[in-house]
Amino acid sequence: AQSVTQLGSHVSVSEGALVLLRCNYSSSVPPYLFWYVQYPNQGLQLLLKYTSAATLVKGINGFEAEFKKSETSFHLTKPSAHMSDAAEYFCAVSPLSNTDKLIFGTGTRLQVFP
Amino acid sequence: EAGVTQFPSHSVIEKGQTVTLRCDPISGHDNLYWYRRVMGKEIKFLLHFVKESKQDESGMPNNRFLAERTGGTYSTLKVQPAELEDSGVYFCASSQDYGFEQYFGPGTRLTVT
């Protein structure tokens, strides 16, 4: 069965610092991988997705993630944090073999200090 | 283009009562999904509609939950009778086709006291 592990329920960085949010997955088939962001009082918004094309995926708002099969990881990074990046981030996997339901991690709340 | 909308945004009910959540997907989206997040835990899949048919309801926790999508447009999720462990945020999402991006609504926060 597929599963997703997000290390660190809370991450704090200073404005301008590197953002690194960790995600590891387990899947018996090549998965599709996603990062979603939830800003306060809003729905989840897709940041980026990996669909077995390029292993380095660029998303919105300067975020990117690299698919590493050998490490079963899909970590999310951004070179320089902005105050507006403060939100909760969710990694998700979809097997897309017999279903396209999303399987989420527990989320990481990102706090950005001035 | 309007996004996915959910009503109500918050609901507080007593144990044993009934609550009905509503989701209006993006117009033209045949696929509609329900997810739930219990406090501090992961967002979990509940079920998936394709038009008015239930494609996958493997995540429905028990028979106190009933989801419908009459006419293949909006969907309702009824909890009857509600229990304390049903508290959480219920998300609805819709997509244009299988494997396409799922667009999420803002969620309904359900509190059962």
Side-chain angles (χ1 to χ4, degrees):
Chain A
Q2 286 79 18
S3 67
V4 174
T5 301
Q6 289 185 245
L7 292 175
S9 58
H10 290 80
V11 170
S12 297
V13 300
S14 299
E15 192 173 21
L18 171 72
V19 176
L20 170 61
L21 304 182
R22 299 179 186 275
C23 173
N24 288 86
Y25 69 92
S26 68
S27 176
S28 57
V29 298
Y32 281 21
L33 292 158
F34 307 80
W35 275 99
Y36 280 84
V37 60
Q38 185 181 23
Y39 299 103
N41 301 315
Q42 295 186 27
L44 279 74
Q45 180 182 0
L46 182 66
L47 270 179
L48 50 81
K49 65 180 179 181
Y50 167 76
T51 58
S52 72
T55 55
L56 182 61
V57 182
K58 294 188 183 297
I60 61 172
N61 301 337
F63 284 92
E64 63 183 36
E66 186 172 8
F67 172 70
K68 291 187 176 180
K69 186 178 179 181
S70 61
E71 298 177 8
T72 61
S73 68
F74 191 58
H75 301 330
L76 182 71
T77 60
K78 182 174 180 177
S80 177
H82 293 166
M83 296 296 291
S84 59
D85 294 327
E88 192 159 20
Y89 293 79
F90 297 91
C91 182
V93 63
S94 177
L96 280 181
S97 54
N98 60 343
T99 173
D100 67 344
K101 67 183 180 186
L102 295 171
I103 299 164
F104 285 89
T106 50
T108 298
R109 187 168 296 280
L110 176 66
Q111 201 168 13
V112 182
F113 290 103
Chain B
E1 177 183 277
V4 177
T5 57
Q6 294 186 244
F7 181 83
S9 57
H10 293 85
S11 181
V12 181
I13 61 172
E14 293 183 354
K15 177 182 173 180
Q17 290 186 320
T18 297
V19 63
T20 301
L21 314 181
R22 173 170 170 145
C23 168
D24 286 78
I26 293 172
S27 177
H29 282 193
D30 288 339
N31 292 266
L32 187 149
Y33 311 79
W34 283 98
Y35 294 86
R36 175 175 74 170
R37 188 185 193 195
V38 172
M39 178 74 73
K41 301 205 170 177
E42 71 271 29
I43 300 169
K44 282 194 171 180
F45 168 82
L46 296 178
L47 87 159
H48 170 202
F49 282 100
V50 177
K51 297 185 180 178
E52 66 274 10
S53 299
K54 292 176 184 174
Q55 180 75 11
D56 179 358
E57 52 183 328
S58 61
M60 294 288 266
N62 53 59
N63 59 9
R64 295 185 294 104
F65 288 75
L66 175 63
E68 294 181 322
R69 194 182 182 197
T70 306
T73 54
Y74 71 90
S75 174
T76 58
L77 180 64
K78 180 190 288 187
V79 185
Q80 180 182 29
E83 298 288 345
L84 298 179
E85 64 264 25
D86 300 333
S87 296
V89 180
Y90 290 76
F91 292 101
C92 175
S94 71
S95 72
Q96 188 175 2
D97 203 347
Y98 183 90
F100 279 46
E101 176 181 349
Q102 294 182 26
Y103 293 85
F104 282 77
T108 293
R109 182 173 295 277
L110 174 64
T111 302
V112 183
T113 62

